Amino acid sequence: MPEVDYSQFYYRRESEKENPPPQRKKPKRSKRPLLVVFVLVLLFGIIFFAADLFTDGYILSSVKDALWKNDYEYYFVVTQVSGREMAHAKSLLVRQGGGSGYIMTGKEGYMVVYSVYFERSEAEAVASKNTGTFVYAAGFSSDEREFYNTLGVCMETVLTSSDALEKGTLSESEFFGKTDDVANALVALKEKALERKDSVAVNLTEYFISGLNGLDTGKGTRLGLLSDVRYLISGVASSACMANE
C-alpha cells in the first residue's frame, strides 16, 4: 500500500513554513520481487488444485487432516440403564441383534452402545430408528495427529468393511483381507509409538490388533461377527477418549 503524506493536515507555524527542513528522497523499491513471489504462489496453487481434481479431493483432504485436524470426536448410539446387572442383560440383547453391546459408564449410570460413528448425522439417523436410544458424543484433543488420524482411518476401514459384509457387497474372505491390512498398518503404527515411548498409543494399538486377531474366522454366525466388530470399534473409540481425558 503506498504511503500517505499526513503532513498536509498538520498545523504548522509560520517559521516552519519559511524554513522548511530538507527533504530526503526515499529510494524506490522494485516491485519485481513481489511479482515473482505472486507468480510462484499462483503456479503452485494451479498445480496443487489440478492434482487434487484428478484424485477426487484426496490430496486436499489429506493435507487438511495432517495440518489442522487434532480434535477427535466419536458419536455413540446408546441406551441408558440404571444398574450393572441391567447393563449386562441389555448388552446381551444388543449383541444378539448384531449391535456392539459395549458398556460405558456415565454420570447417570451405565450406557450400552449399539454402535459408534464418526459423523453425528449418521449416529442420529440410527438413533431415530431405535426406540430408547440417543447419541452420546465423546472426544478429545491431541497433538499426536499422525497417530490418531491413522487410528481413525483404521477404525473407519473396519466399520465400513463390516457394513459392506452385512449388505452382501463384500465376502468374508475380502472382509478379512481388509482387517489383515488394517492389522499390518497398526503394527507399523505401534512400532513408531514404541520409538517415541508413547505408552498410550502402544496400548491402544495392541488392544486394536488383539481384537482384530480375535475376530471369528467363519466358525460363528455372520451376526456374531458383525457384533464383535462393532464391540471392538466401540472399545477402541472409548479407550482413546478415556486415555486423553
Side-chain angles (χ1 to χ4, degrees):
M1 180 181 292
E3 293 185 1
V4 178
D5 181 13
Y6 291 100
S7 62
Q8 61 182 312
F9 304 112
Y10 295 159
Y11 173 77
R12 291 182 291 180
R13 298 184 182 87
E14 290 297 325
S15 59
E16 291 177 339
K17 294 179 182 178
E18 292 173 0
N19 300 297
Q23 298 291 323
R24 290 185 180 180
K25 291 185 178 181
K26 294 184 178 180
K28 292 183 178 180
R29 295 181 180 178
S30 173
K31 295 182 180 180
R32 191 173 297 276
L34 292 175
L35 180 61
V36 172
V37 172
F38 174 76
V39 171
L40 288 174
V41 171
L42 182 62
L43 287 173
F44 175 79
I46 292 172
I47 294 170
F48 179 83
F49 286 105
D52 190 62
L53 179 65
F54 285 106
T55 57
D56 293 327
Y58 175 76
I59 292 176
L60 183 60
S61 177
S62 299
V63 170
K64 285 172 66 180
D65 282 346
L67 293 179
W68 295 296
K69 187 175 180 182
N70 65 337
D71 292 326
Y72 304 89
E73 193 161 40
Y74 307 114
Y75 304 97
F76 301 85
V77 176
V78 302
T79 185
Q80 187 84 47
V81 291
S82 57
R84 185 186 294 271
E85 290 183 3
M86 207 167 196
H88 283 288
K90 186 66 177 178
S91 172
L92 290 174
L93 286 174
V94 171
R95 287 182 65 79
Q96 286 172 6
S100 165
Y102 188 85
I103 299 173
M104 300 174 66
T105 54
K107 294 180 180 179
E108 299 179 6
Y110 297 90
M111 292 179 291
V112 178
V113 180
Y114 279 61
S115 191
V116 61
Y117 300 88
F118 302 92
E119 298 293 336
R120 181 181 287 274
S121 58
E122 294 178 0
E124 289 175 344
V126 173
S128 67
K129 297 176 183 178
N130 292 274
T131 306
T133 66
F134 62 95
V135 177
Y136 173 77
F140 59 93
S141 294
S142 175
D143 292 330
E144 296 293 340
R145 294 186 181 121
E146 180 184 1
F147 174 78
Y148 284 107
N149 289 356
T150 306
L151 187 73
V153 169
C154 290
M155 293 164 68
E156 287 191 81
T157 300
V158 174
L159 267 184
T160 54
S161 298
S162 68
D163 289 342
L165 177 65
E166 185 175 22
K167 294 173 183 175
T169 57
L170 200 69
S171 67
E172 280 200 12
S173 60
E174 289 173 326
F175 169 75
F176 284 112
K178 295 280 188 182
T179 59
D180 286 343
D181 291 340
V182 168
N184 291 333
L186 290 169
V187 169
L189 201 62
K190 177 186 171 183
E191 292 301 321
K192 290 184 179 180
L194 285 168
E195 288 176 5
R196 65 176 186 272
K197 298 180 180 179
D198 186 343
S199 59
V200 170
V202 171
N203 290 338
L204 280 172
T205 50
E206 284 182 343
Y207 174 46
F208 202 166
I209 293 168
S210 176
L212 289 175
N213 292 336
L215 291 177
D216 197 338
T217 57
K219 296 178 182 179
T221 64
R222 175 71 59 83
L223 208 59
L225 175 60
L226 294 170
S227 176
D228 289 344
V229 169
R230 287 163 184 153
Y231 184 93
L232 172 61
I233 301 303
S234 299
V236 173
S238 176
S239 297
C241 293
M242 289 191 294
N244 287 278
E245 285 181 345

